[in-house]
Coordinates of all heavy atoms in Angstrom, one line a residue:
I1 N 0.8 -1.2 0.0 CA 0.0 0.0 0.0 C 0.9 1.2 0.0 O 0.6 2.2 -0.7 CB -1.0 0.0 1.2 CG1 -1.9 -1.2 1.1 CG2 -1.7 1.3 1.3 CD1 -2.8 -1.3 2.4
Q2 N 1.9 1.2 0.8 CA 2.8 2.4 0.9 C 4.2 1.9 1.1 O 4.5 1.0 2.0 CB 2.4 3.2 2.1 CG 3.2 4.4 2.4 CD 2.6 5.3 3.5 OE1 1.6 5.9 3.2 NE2 3.2 5.3 4.6
A3 N 5.1 2.3 0.3 CA 6.5 1.9 0.4 C 7.3 2.6 1.5 O 7.0 3.8 1.7 CB 7.2 2.1 -1.0
E4 N 8.2 1.9 2.1 CA 9.0 2.5 3.2 C 9.7 3.7 2.7 O 10.4 3.7 1.6 CB 10.0 1.5 3.7 CG 10.7 2.0 4.9 CD 11.6 0.9 5.5 OE1 11.5 -0.3 5.1 OE2 12.4 1.2 6.4
G5 N 9.7 4.8 3.4 CA 10.4 6.0 3.0 C 9.7 6.9 2.0 O 10.1 8.0 1.7
F6 N 8.6 6.3 1.4 CA 7.9 7.1 0.4 C 7.2 8.3 1.0 O 6.6 8.2 2.1 CB 6.8 6.1 -0.3 CG 6.0 6.8 -1.3 CD1 6.5 7.1 -2.5 CD2 4.7 7.1 -1.0 CE1 5.7 7.7 -3.5 CE2 3.9 7.7 -2.0 CZ 4.4 8.0 -3.2
A7 N 7.3 9.4 0.4 CA 6.6 10.6 0.9 C 5.3 10.8 0.1 O 5.4 11.5 -1.0 CB 7.5 11.8 0.8
G8 N 4.2 10.3 0.5 CA 3.0 10.4 -0.3 C 2.1 11.5 0.3 O 2.6 12.3 1.2
D9 N 0.9 11.6 -0.1 CA 0.0 12.6 0.5 C -1.4 12.0 0.7 O -2.4 12.6 0.6 CB -0.1 13.8 -0.4 CG -1.0 13.5 -1.7 OD1 -1.2 12.3 -2.0 OD2 -1.5 14.5 -2.3
Q10 N -1.3 10.7 1.2 CA -2.6 10.0 1.4 C -2.7 9.5 2.9 O -1.8 9.0 3.5 CB -2.7 8.8 0.5 CG -2.7 9.2 -1.0 CD -2.7 8.0 -1.9 OE1 -2.3 6.9 -1.5 NE2 -3.2 8.2 -3.1
W11 N -3.9 9.7 3.4 CA -4.3 9.2 4.7 C -5.3 8.1 4.5 O -6.3 8.3 3.9 CB -4.9 10.3 5.6 CG -5.3 10.0 7.0 CD1 -5.0 8.8 7.7 CD2 -6.0 10.8 7.8 NE1 -5.5 8.9 8.9 CE2 -6.2 10.1 9.1 CE3 -6.6 12.0 7.7 CZ2 -6.9 10.6 10.1 CZ3 -7.3 12.6 8.8 CH2 -7.4 11.9 10.0
F12 N -5.0 6.9 5.0 CA -5.8 5.7 4.8 C -6.6 5.4 6.1 O -6.0 5.3 7.1 CB -5.0 4.5 4.4 CG -4.2 4.6 3.2 CD1 -2.9 5.2 3.1 CD2 -4.7 4.2 2.0 CE1 -2.2 5.4 2.0 CE2 -4.0 4.3 0.8 CZ -2.7 4.9 0.8
I13 N -7.9 5.1 5.9 CA -8.7 4.7 7.1 C -9.2 3.3 6.7 O -9.9 3.2 5.7 CB -9.9 5.7 7.3 CG1 -9.3 7.1 7.6 CG2 -10.8 5.2 8.5 CD1 -10.3 8.2 7.5
I14 N -8.9 2.3 7.5 CA -9.2 0.9 7.2 C -10.7 0.6 7.4 O -11.2 0.8 8.6 CB -8.3 0.0 8.0 CG1 -6.8 0.3 7.7 CG2 -8.7 -1.5 7.6 CD1 -5.9 -0.5 8.6
E15 N -11.4 0.3 6.4 CA -12.8 -0.1 6.5 C -12.9 -1.6 6.8 O -13.7 -2.1 7.6 CB -13.6 0.2 5.3 CG -15.0 -0.1 5.4 CD -15.8 0.3 4.1 OE1 -15.4 1.2 3.4 OE2 -16.8 -0.4 3.8
E16 N -12.1 -2.4 6.1 CA -12.0 -3.9 6.2 C -10.6 -4.3 6.1 O -9.9 -3.8 5.3 CB -12.9 -4.6 5.2 CG -14.4 -4.3 5.2 CD -15.1 -5.0 4.0 OE1 -14.5 -5.8 3.3 OE2 -16.3 -4.7 3.9
G17 N -10.3 -5.4 6.7 CA -9.0 -6.0 6.5 C -7.9 -5.7 7.6 O -8.2 -5.0 8.6
T18 N -6.7 -6.1 7.4 CA -5.6 -5.8 8.3 C -4.4 -5.4 7.5 O -4.1 -5.8 6.4 CB -5.2 -7.1 9.1 OG1 -5.0 -8.2 8.3 CG2 -6.3 -7.5 10.1
V19 N -3.7 -4.5 8.1 CA -2.5 -3.9 7.5 C -1.4 -3.9 8.5 O -1.6 -3.6 9.7 CB -2.7 -2.4 7.1 CG1 -1.5 -1.7 6.6 CG2 -3.8 -2.4 6.0
A20 N -0.1 -4.2 8.1 CA 1.0 -4.1 9.0 C 1.9 -2.9 8.6 O 2.2 -2.7 7.5 CB 1.9 -5.4 8.9
L21 N 2.2 -2.1 9.6 CA 3.1 -1.0 9.4 C 4.5 -1.4 9.9 O 4.7 -1.9 11.0 CB 2.7 0.2 10.2 CG 1.4 0.9 9.8 CD1 1.1 2.1 10.7 CD2 1.4 1.3 8.3
H22 N 5.5 -1.3 9.0 CA 6.9 -1.7 9.3 C 7.7 -0.5 9.4 O 7.9 0.3 8.5 CB 7.4 -2.6 8.2 CG 6.6 -3.9 8.1 ND1 7.0 -5.0 8.8 CD2 5.6 -4.2 7.3 CE1 6.1 -6.0 8.5 NE2 5.3 -5.5 7.6
Q23 N 8.3 -0.2 10.7 CA 9.2 0.9 10.9 C 10.6 0.2 11.1 O 10.6 -0.9 11.7 CB 8.8 1.6 12.1 CG 7.4 2.2 12.0 CD 7.5 3.7 12.1 OE1 8.5 4.4 11.7 NE2 6.4 4.3 12.6
P24 N 11.7 0.8 10.7 CA 13.0 0.2 10.9 C 13.2 0.0 12.4 O 12.9 0.8 13.3 CB 13.9 1.3 10.4 CG 13.1 2.1 9.4 CD 11.7 2.1 9.9
N25 N 13.8 -1.2 12.7 CA 14.2 -1.5 14.1 C 13.1 -1.6 15.1 O 13.3 -1.5 16.3 CB 15.3 -0.6 14.6 CG 16.5 -0.5 13.7 OD1 17.0 -1.5 13.2 ND2 16.9 0.7 13.4
E26 N 11.8 -1.8 14.6 CA 10.7 -2.0 15.5 C 9.8 -3.1 15.0 O 9.8 -3.4 13.8 CB 9.8 -0.7 15.5 CG 10.5 0.5 16.1 CD 9.5 1.7 16.2 OE1 8.3 1.5 16.2 OE2 10.1 2.8 16.2
P27 N 9.1 -3.8 15.9 CA 8.2 -4.9 15.5 C 7.1 -4.3 14.7 O 6.7 -3.1 14.9 CB 7.7 -5.5 16.8 CG 8.0 -4.5 17.8 CD 9.1 -3.7 17.4
P28 N 6.5 -5.0 13.7 CA 5.4 -4.5 12.9 C 4.2 -4.2 13.8 O 3.9 -4.8 14.8 CB 5.0 -5.6 12.0 CG 6.2 -6.5 12.0 CD 6.9 -6.4 13.3
Q29 N 3.5 -3.1 13.4 CA 2.3 -2.7 14.1 C 1.1 -3.2 13.2 O 1.0 -2.7 12.1 CB 2.2 -1.2 14.3 CG 1.0 -0.7 15.0 CD 0.9 0.8 15.1 OE1 1.8 1.5 14.6 NE2 -0.1 1.3 15.8
V30 N 0.2 -4.0 13.8 CA -0.9 -4.6 13.0 C -2.1 -3.7 13.2 O -2.5 -3.5 14.4 CB -1.2 -6.0 13.3 CG1 -2.4 -6.5 12.5 CG2 0.1 -6.9 12.9
L31 N -2.7 -3.2 12.2 CA -3.9 -2.3 12.2 C -5.1 -3.0 11.6 O -4.9 -3.9 10.7 CB -3.7 -1.0 11.5 CG -2.4 -0.2 11.8 CD1 -2.3 1.0 10.9 CD2 -2.5 0.2 13.3
G32 N -6.3 -2.7 12.1 CA -7.5 -3.3 11.6 C -8.6 -2.3 11.4 O -8.4 -1.1 11.4
Q33 N -9.8 -2.8 11.3 CA -11.0 -1.9 11.0 C -11.0 -0.7 11.9 O -10.9 -0.9 13.2 CB -12.3 -2.8 11.1 CG -13.5 -2.0 10.8 CD -14.8 -2.9 11.0 OE1 -14.7 -3.9 11.6 NE2 -15.8 -2.4 10.3
G34 N -11.2 0.5 11.4 CA -11.3 1.7 12.1 C -10.0 2.4 12.4 O -9.9 3.5 12.8
D35 N -8.9 1.7 12.2 CA -7.5 2.3 12.4 C -7.2 3.1 11.1 O -7.8 2.9 10.1 CB -6.5 1.2 12.6 CG -6.7 0.5 14.0 OD1 -7.1 1.1 14.9 OD2 -6.3 -0.7 14.0
S36 N -6.2 3.9 11.3 CA -5.7 4.7 10.1 C -4.2 4.8 10.1 O -3.6 4.6 11.1 CB -6.4 6.1 10.2 OG -5.9 6.8 11.3
F37 N -3.7 5.2 9.0 CA -2.2 5.4 8.8 C -2.0 6.4 7.6 O -2.9 6.5 6.8 CB -1.5 4.1 8.6 CG -1.9 3.4 7.4 CD1 -1.2 3.5 6.2 CD2 -3.0 2.5 7.4 CE1 -1.5 2.8 5.0 CE2 -3.3 1.8 6.2 CZ -2.6 2.0 5.1
G38 N -0.9 7.0 7.6 CA -0.6 7.9 6.5 C -0.8 9.4 6.8 O -0.5 10.3 6.0
E39 N -1.4 9.7 8.0 CA -1.7 11.1 8.3 C -0.5 12.0 8.3 O -0.6 13.1 8.0 CB -2.5 11.2 9.6 CG -1.8 10.8 10.9 CD -1.8 9.3 11.1 OE1 -2.3 8.5 10.3 OE2 -1.3 8.9 12.2
Q40 N 0.7 11.4 8.6 CA 1.9 12.1 8.6 C 2.3 12.6 7.2 O 2.9 13.6 7.0 CB 3.0 11.3 9.3 CG 2.8 11.0 10.7 CD 3.8 10.0 11.3 OE1 4.3 9.2 10.5 NE2 4.0 10.0 12.6
A41 N 1.9 11.8 6.2 CA 2.2 12.2 4.8 C 1.5 13.5 4.5 O 2.0 14.3 3.7 CB 1.7 11.1 3.9
L42 N 0.3 13.7 5.0 CA -0.4 15.0 4.7 C 0.3 16.2 5.3 O 0.1 17.3 4.8 CB -1.9 14.9 5.2 CG -2.7 13.8 4.6 CD1 -4.1 13.8 5.2 CD2 -2.9 14.1 3.1
A43 N 1.1 16.0 6.3 CA 1.8 17.1 6.9 C 3.2 17.2 6.3 O 4.0 18.1 6.7 CB 2.0 16.8 8.4
G44 N 3.5 16.4 5.2 CA 4.7 16.5 4.5 C 5.9 15.8 5.1 O 7.1 16.0 4.7
W45 N 5.7 14.9 6.1 CA 6.7 14.1 6.7 C 7.4 13.2 5.7 O 6.7 12.7 4.7 CB 6.2 13.3 7.9 CG 5.8 14.1 9.1 CD1 5.4 15.4 9.1 CD2 5.9 13.7 10.4 NE1 5.1 15.8 10.4 CE2 5.4 14.7 11.2 CE3 6.2 12.5 11.0 CZ2 5.3 14.6 12.6 CZ3 6.1 12.4 12.4 CH2 5.6 13.5 13.2
K46 N 8.6 12.9 5.8 CA 9.4 12.0 5.0 C 9.6 10.7 5.7 O 9.3 10.6 6.9 CB 10.7 12.6 4.6 CG 10.6 14.0 4.0 CD 10.2 13.9 2.5 CE 10.3 15.3 1.9 NZ 9.2 15.7 1.2
N47 N 10.1 9.7 5.0 CA 10.5 8.4 5.7 C 9.3 7.8 6.4 O 9.4 7.4 7.6 CB 11.7 8.6 6.6 CG 12.9 9.0 5.8 OD1 13.1 8.6 4.7 ND2 13.6 9.9 6.4
L48 N 8.2 7.6 5.7 CA 7.0 7.0 6.3 C 7.2 5.5 6.4 O 8.0 4.9 5.6 CB 5.8 7.3 5.5 CG 5.5 8.8 5.3 CD1 4.4 9.0 4.3 CD2 5.2 9.4 6.6
P49 N 6.5 4.8 7.3 CA 6.7 3.3 7.4 C 6.1 2.6 6.2 O 5.2 3.2 5.5 CB 5.9 3.0 8.7 CG 4.9 4.1 8.9 CD 5.6 5.3 8.3
M50 N 6.6 1.4 6.0 CA 6.0 0.6 4.9 C 4.7 0.0 5.4 O 4.7 -0.5 6.5 CB 7.0 -0.5 4.5 CG 6.5 -1.4 3.4 SD 7.7 -2.6 2.8 CE 8.2 -3.4 4.2
A51 N 3.7 0.1 4.6 CA 2.4 -0.5 4.9 C 2.1 -1.6 4.0 O 2.1 -1.4 2.8 CB 1.3 0.6 4.8
V52 N 1.8 -2.8 4.6 CA 1.6 -4.0 3.8 C 0.2 -4.6 4.2 O -0.1 -4.8 5.4 CB 2.7 -5.1 4.1 CG1 2.4 -6.3 3.3 CG2 4.0 -4.5 3.7
A53 N -0.7 -4.8 3.2 CA -2.0 -5.4 3.4 C -1.7 -6.9 3.7 O -1.1 -7.6 2.9 CB -2.9 -5.2 2.3
L54 N -2.2 -7.3 4.9 CA -2.1 -8.7 5.3 C -3.2 -9.6 4.8 O -3.1 -10.8 4.7 CB -1.9 -8.9 6.8 CG -0.8 -8.1 7.4 CD1 -0.8 -8.2 9.0 CD2 0.6 -8.6 6.9
T55 N -4.4 -8.9 4.6 CA -5.6 -9.6 4.1 C -6.2 -8.7 3.0 O -5.7 -7.5 2.8 CB -6.6 -9.8 5.2 OG1 -7.0 -8.5 5.7 CG2 -6.0 -10.7 6.3
M56 N -7.2 -9.1 2.3 CA -8.0 -8.3 1.4 C -8.4 -7.0 2.3 O -9.0 -7.2 3.3 CB -9.2 -9.0 0.9 CG -10.0 -8.1 0.0 SD -9.2 -7.6 -1.5 CE -9.8 -8.9 -2.6
T57 N -8.0 -5.8 1.8 CA -8.2 -4.6 2.6 C -8.9 -3.6 1.8 O -8.6 -3.4 0.6 CB -6.8 -4.1 3.0 OG1 -6.2 -5.1 3.8 CG2 -7.0 -2.8 3.9
K58 N -9.9 -2.9 2.4 CA -10.6 -1.8 1.8 C -10.4 -0.6 2.7 O -10.6 -0.7 3.9 CB -12.1 -2.2 1.7 CG -12.9 -1.2 1.0 CD -14.4 -1.4 1.1 CE -14.9 -2.8 0.6 NZ -16.3 -2.9 0.6
C59 N -10.0 0.5 2.1 CA -9.7 1.7 2.8 C -10.4 2.9 2.2 O -10.5 3.0 1.0 CB -8.2 2.0 2.8 SG -7.2 0.8 3.6
H60 N -10.7 3.9 3.0 CA -11.1 5.2 2.6 C -9.8 6.0 2.4 O -8.9 5.8 3.3 CB -12.0 5.9 3.5 CG -13.4 5.3 3.6 ND1 -14.4 5.6 2.7 CD2 -13.9 4.4 4.5 CE1 -15.5 4.9 3.0 NE2 -15.2 4.1 4.1
V61 N -9.7 6.8 1.4 CA -8.4 7.5 1.2 C -8.7 9.0 1.1 O -9.5 9.4 0.3 CB -7.7 7.0 -0.2 CG1 -6.4 7.8 -0.4 CG2 -7.5 5.5 -0.2
L62 N -8.0 9.7 2.0 CA -8.1 11.2 2.0 C -6.8 11.7 1.4 O -5.7 11.3 1.9 CB -8.4 11.7 3.4 CG -9.6 11.2 4.0 CD1 -9.6 11.6 5.5 CD2 -10.8 11.7 3.3
T63 N -6.8 12.6 0.5 CA -5.6 13.2 0.0 C -5.6 14.7 0.2 O -6.6 15.3 0.4 CB -5.4 12.9 -1.5 OG1 -6.5 13.6 -2.2 CG2 -5.5 11.5 -1.9
N64 N -4.4 15.3 0.2 CA -4.2 16.7 0.4 C -4.8 17.4 -0.8 O -5.5 18.4 -0.6 CB -2.7 17.0 0.5 CG -2.5 18.1 1.5 OD1 -3.3 18.5 2.2 ND2 -1.2 18.6 1.5
S65 N -4.7 16.9 -2.0 CA -5.2 17.6 -3.2 C -6.8 17.6 -3.1 O -7.4 18.5 -3.5 CB -4.7 16.9 -4.5 OG -5.1 15.6 -4.5
C66 N -7.3 16.5 -2.6 CA -8.8 16.4 -2.4 C -9.3 17.5 -1.4 O -10.2 18.2 -1.7 CB -9.2 15.0 -1.9 SG -10.9 14.9 -1.6
R67 N -8.6 17.6 -0.3 CA -8.9 18.6 0.7 C -8.9 20.0 0.1 O -9.8 20.8 0.3 CB -8.0 18.5 1.9 CG -8.4 19.6 3.0 CD -7.4 19.5 4.1 NE -6.1 19.8 3.7 CZ -5.6 21.1 3.6 NH1 -6.4 22.1 3.8 NH2 -4.3 21.3 3.2
L68 N -7.8 20.3 -0.6 CA -7.6 21.6 -1.2 C -8.7 21.9 -2.3 O -9.1 23.0 -2.4 CB -6.2 21.7 -1.8 CG -5.1 21.7 -0.8 CD1 -3.7 21.6 -1.5 CD2 -5.1 22.8 0.2
A69 N -9.1 20.9 -3.0 CA -10.1 21.1 -4.1 C -11.5 21.4 -3.5 O -12.3 22.1 -4.2 CB -10.2 19.8 -4.9
T70 N -11.8 21.0 -2.3 CA -13.1 21.2 -1.8 C -13.3 22.6 -1.1 O -14.4 23.1 -1.1 CB -13.5 20.1 -0.7 OG1 -12.7 20.3 0.4 CG2 -13.4 18.7 -1.2
N71 N -12.2 23.1 -0.6 CA -12.3 24.4 0.1 C -13.3 24.4 1.3 O -13.7 25.4 1.8 CB -12.7 25.6 -0.8 CG -11.6 25.9 -1.8 OD1 -10.4 25.8 -1.5 ND2 -12.0 26.2 -3.0
Q72 N -13.7 23.2 1.7 CA -14.6 23.0 2.8 C -14.2 22.0 3.8 O -15.0 21.4 4.5 CB -16.0 22.7 2.3 CG -16.6 23.8 1.4 CD -18.0 23.4 0.8 OE1 -18.4 22.2 1.0 NE2 -18.7 24.3 0.2
G73 N -12.9 21.7 3.7 CA -12.4 20.7 4.7 C -12.3 19.3 4.0 O -12.4 19.2 2.8
W74 N -12.0 18.3 4.8 CA -11.8 16.9 4.3 C -13.1 16.3 3.8 O -14.2 16.5 4.3 CB -11.3 16.0 5.4 CG -9.9 16.5 5.9 CD1 -9.7 17.1 7.1 CD2 -8.7 16.3 5.2 NE1 -8.3 17.4 7.1 CE2 -7.7 16.9 6.0 CE3 -8.3 15.8 4.0 CZ2 -6.4 16.9 5.7 CZ3 -7.0 15.8 3.6 CH2 -6.1 16.4 4.5
K75 N -12.9 15.5 2.8 CA -14.0 14.6 2.3 C -13.4 13.3 1.8 O -12.2 13.3 1.4 CB -14.8 15.3 1.2 CG -14.1 15.4 -0.1 CD -15.1 15.9 -1.2 CE -14.4 15.7 -2.6 NZ -15.3 16.0 -3.7
T76 N -14.2 12.3 1.7 CA -13.6 11.1 1.1 C -13.7 11.2 -0.4 O -14.7 11.4 -1.0 CB -14.5 9.9 1.6 OG1 -14.5 9.8 3.0 CG2 -14.0 8.6 1.0
C77 N -12.5 11.1 -1.0 CA -12.4 11.2 -2.5 C -12.5 9.9 -3.2 O -12.7 9.9 -4.4 CB -11.1 11.9 -2.8 SG -11.0 13.6 -2.3
G78 N -12.4 8.8 -2.5 CA -12.4 7.5 -3.2 C -12.3 6.4 -2.2 O -11.9 6.6 -1.1
L79 N -12.6 5.2 -2.7 CA -12.5 4.0 -2.0 C -11.6 3.1 -2.8 O -11.9 2.9 -4.0 CB -13.9 3.4 -1.8 CG -14.1 2.3 -0.8 CD1 -13.7 2.7 0.6 CD2 -15.5 1.8 -0.8
R80 N -10.6 2.6 -2.2 CA -9.6 1.7 -2.9 C -9.6 0.4 -2.3 O -9.8 0.2 -1.1 CB -8.2 2.4 -2.9 CG -8.3 3.7 -3.6 CD -6.9 4.2 -3.8 NE -7.0 5.5 -4.4 CZ -6.0 6.4 -4.6 NH1 -4.8 6.0 -4.2 NH2 -6.1 7.5 -5.2
H81 N -9.2 -0.6 -3.1 CA -9.2 -2.0 -2.6 C -7.8 -2.6 -2.9 O -7.2 -2.3 -3.9 CB -10.2 -2.9 -3.4 CG -11.6 -2.3 -3.2 ND1 -12.5 -2.8 -2.3 CD2 -12.2 -1.3 -3.9 CE1 -13.6 -2.1 -2.5 NE2 -13.5 -1.2 -3.4
W82 N -7.3 -3.3 -1.9 CA -6.0 -4.0 -2.1 C -6.1 -5.4 -1.7 O -6.9 -5.8 -0.9 CB -4.9 -3.3 -1.1 CG -4.5 -2.0 -1.6 CD1 -3.6 -1.7 -2.5 CD2 -5.0 -0.7 -1.1 NE1 -3.5 -0.3 -2.6 CE2 -4.4 0.3 -1.8 CE3 -6.0 -0.4 -0.2 CZ2 -4.6 1.6 -1.6 CZ3 -6.3 1.0 0.0 CH2 -5.6 1.9 -0.7
Q83 N -5.3 -6.2 -2.3 CA -5.2 -7.7 -1.9 C -3.9 -7.9 -1.2 O -2.9 -7.4 -1.6 CB -5.3 -8.6 -3.1 CG -6.7 -8.6 -3.8 CD -6.7 -9.7 -4.8 OE1 -5.9 -10.6 -4.9 NE2 -7.7 -9.6 -5.7

């Protein structure tokens, strides 16, 4: 879902499935329904953890460009599916 060190602009909110976040020198953090990751990317942080879908995963995705386009705050711009 997200490569280690990649500086994206997406915040993922898990609707279904499980995702493991891998940070260097730390055990993986397993996330599930209702959890989120990637919010640091919206703030422009670099060196984000690698996110790997462990099961079929469905996430709501919020992007910085989506927020800027609405001029009314955050909205869900799309629903993406990963295996």
Side-chain angles (χ1 to χ4, degrees):
I1 297 174
Q2 179 171 290
E4 183 176 353
F6 178 73
D9 74 341
Q10 298 177 333
W11 180 10
F12 298 87
I13 302 165
I14 302 170
E15 182 178 332
E16 294 176 11
T18 53
V19 173
L21 293 183
H22 297 271
Q23 302 242 27
N25 304 316
E26 292 184 26
Q29 179 183 8
V30 178
L31 306 176
Q33 183 179 20
D35 293 328
S36 66
F37 61 95
E39 63 277 6
Q40 296 169 336
L42 295 178
W45 289 29
K46 307 281 188 230
N47 299 320
L48 302 173
M50 179 172 54
V52 178
L54 301 177
T55 63
M56 178 67 93
T57 302
K58 187 188 302 185
C59 296
H60 291 277
V61 181
L62 301 171
T63 66
N64 220 8
S65 58
C66 176
R67 180 185 62 84
L68 295 173
T70 66
N71 291 323
Q72 297 177 351
W74 295 106
K75 72 171 190 171
T76 302
C77 290
L79 192 59
R80 297 188 182 172
H81 303 263
W82 288 275
Q83 287 189 19

